[in-house]
Amino acid sequence: MKAILFKEFGDAAVLHLDDASVPTVRPTDLLVRVHAAGVNRADLTHRRGGYGRPDFGDSTIMGLEIAGEVIEVGSDAHGYHVGDRVMGVVGGGAYAEVARIDWRMAMPIPAGMDYIHAAAIPEVFVTAHEALLHLGRLKKGDAVLVHAAAGGVGSAVVQLAHATGATVFATADASKHDRVVQLGADHVIDYRTEDFAAVVAKFVAAKSEKGGVDVVIDFIGAPYFAKNIASLTHGGRLIQVGLLGGGGEVGFDLAQILYRHLQIIGTVMKSRTQAEKHAMTRRFREHWLEHFNAGTSLMPVVDSTFPLAQAADAHRRMESAENVGKIILTT
């Protein structure tokens, strides 16, 4: 099979198309002919050497999510047959013509959906559900602040929050505001020119006595931490999903956490145990999968597609930060 390989860590130019061995099917695996694969920021970190190793879990080949057709079923895999259309998160190996996936991480592709849009669902929507509803406990009538709302996970969070019946505040570059509104945001804030904590305080004060939002979903990290805390209402939850703006130490008065009954929760899917990943996938599937059927409320957001051989260009597109939604490789 053909796959994207790299011999050394570095910029996007290290990626190249080459021959690779078809992965061996274990008892709990499905072997899938990959038609589309999602590009994720973890792939950029992998390529640059941020994980300190050339492999990512199951495979030395890059890539964490796929959509395709089952071509072989492991002896202990249940509920799937050769010819089924599936999507899901893999432990590496997505940037290839064939990949294996633990059957408990696989999901059927919604009726009428093509492989490209299916590949834009698993990583971002499973992560979004976990952060927003399972950990953040968002419910109808709540208010949520979503950062990086035009990105892959951010755009999924906005959709799920809107579908839940929450008031959605979102930060994004001004050029992307119209698209974020279309996804379901009620108030979009230009993070370059506006103080998001002040905007949230103004709107919330005019509408209720809460004094802040119930949940903040943050991908930025240290630069936003203090203002995220200031944006929360009593009993609010900050869910830290990423550190695009940097990690490191943050200074804060712990009394704010104590007396306002705040919670700060971190979540990273790739470092979870397999059992935890299975549970995350199951929770998303049971709650939301049927909402992706034709004519219903949710739709994966695809920014652009690239042939597998042009994976380097797909990485450059993500590094430009100009994308709205997912970048997809096709095989």
Side-chain angles (χ1 to χ4, degrees), residues 234-251:
H234 182 92
R237 286 82 65 195
L238 166 61
I239 313 300
Q240 197 69 50
V241 185
L243 298 172
L244 294 176
E249 297 182 3
V250 293

Side-chain angles (χ1 to χ4, degrees), residues 19 40 66 70 87 110 133 189 220 232 257 294 296-298 306:
D19 293 318
N40 292 282
I66 61 170
V70 176
M87 60 187 183
L133 285 103
I189 304 162
I220 307 303
L232 287 169
I257 307 293
T296 51
S297 57
L298 300 178
F306 295 82

Side-chain angles (χ1 to χ4, degrees), residues 147-148 171-174 177 189-196 224 321:
H147 292 301
T171 65
D173 184 271
H177 281 197
I189 304 162
D190 183 354
Y191 71 90
R192 297 183 187 275
T193 62
E194 297 181 274
D195 181 336
F196 65 80
Y224 281 14

Side-chain angles (χ1 to χ4, degrees), residues 18 22 35 140 149 233 267 316:
D18 209 336
V22 173
H35 291 284
K140 183 177 181 180
T233 189
T267 179
R316 293 184 185 104

Side-chain angles (χ1 to χ4, degrees), residues 1-6 14-23 33-34 59-63 92-99 307-311 329-331:
M1 70 175 184
K2 295 294 185 181
I4 293 296
L5 307 178
F6 62 103
V14 303
L15 302 179
H16 64 279
L17 189 70
D18 209 336
D19 293 318
S21 299
V22 173
R33 167 66 176 91
V34 178
S59 176
T60 57
I61 298 171
M62 183 181 294
Y95 287 22
E97 293 178 328
V98 178
L308 182 63
Q310 296 177 18
L329 298 174
T330 59
T331 63

Side-chain angles (χ1 to χ4, degrees), residues 15 17 19 50 122 142 161 163 185 207 230 282 289 299 305-306:
L15 302 179
L17 189 70
D19 293 318
D142 282 351
K207 297 292 183 179
R282 183 178 64 253
L289 192 58
M299 174 57 69
T305 63
F306 295 82

Side-chain angles (χ1 to χ4, degrees), residues 230-275:
S231 300
L232 287 169
T233 189
H234 182 92
R237 286 82 65 195
L238 166 61
I239 313 300
Q240 197 69 50
V241 185
L243 298 172
L244 294 176
E249 297 182 3
V250 293
F252 191 72
D253 178 7
L254 283 176
Q256 290 287 320
I257 307 293
L258 184 67
Y259 293 112
R260 292 171 57 201
H261 295 268
L262 304 180
Q263 297 179 49
I264 303 170
I265 304 171
T267 179
V268 178
M269 186 176 186
K270 60 182 173 290
S271 62
R272 297 283 189 96
T273 66
Q274 276 301 108

